[in-house]
Amino acid sequence: KIFENRELHEIRFLANQLVKQTDIWLLFGLKSEKAHLILAHSNHYQYNLNQLVQQIAPLIDGRGGGRADFVEIGGKNILAIKTALNQAKEFIEANNLLKNS
């Protein structure tokens, strides 16, 4: 999901609530003065999202990191948010990460 006209803290709060309450992977983008991505999953999954940051951050000319289950990436290239989220989704699906560990 890509958000516009929202504050980063709102999207971060929403992401935290969703991963606490449901068995989910989420990929959020926020278009503001710069590009923001939030990638997260519920604790049912064991994949360390920091590994995915290395692949996705360059797409938005950014950098990021966080916990194994919740990362944020900030960058300059707002136009590449959709591409970055699509690539993250394709990586998750191709590596069969949607299965519970």
Side-chain angles (χ1 to χ4, degrees), residues 70-82:
F70 194 103
V71 297
E72 293 185 39
I73 304 168
K76 300 175 198 170
N77 190 350
I78 297 167
L79 298 176
I81 289 175
K82 185 175 183 177

Side-chain angles (χ1 to χ4, degrees), residues 5-73:
N5 303 317
R6 297 283 185 207
E7 297 292 327
L8 181 57
H9 68 89
E10 294 175 304
I11 306 308
R12 188 182 296 128
F13 178 80
L14 176 61
N16 274 309
Q17 294 304 308
L18 287 170
V19 296
K20 287 179 188 174
Q21 296 175 14
T22 59
D23 185 16
I24 192 172
W25 279 79
L26 64 84
L27 309 172
F28 284 169
L30 173 63
K31 291 182 180 180
S32 61
E33 59 277 354
K34 64 185 229 178
H36 294 280
L37 304 176
I38 294 178
L39 313 177
H41 60 68
S42 57
N43 63 9
H44 296 100
Y45 303 98
Q46 300 301 312
Y47 182 75
N48 185 340
L49 287 167
N50 284 295
Q51 296 172 7
L52 190 53
V53 169
Q54 297 171 3
Q55 294 178 11
I56 301 304
L59 297 174
I60 62 166
D61 297 326
R63 61 184 195 165
R67 302 185 319 260
D69 62 346
F70 194 103
V71 297
E72 293 185 39
I73 304 168

Side-chain angles (χ1 to χ4, degrees), residues 2 29 82 98:
I2 298 175
K82 185 175 183 177
L98 295 173

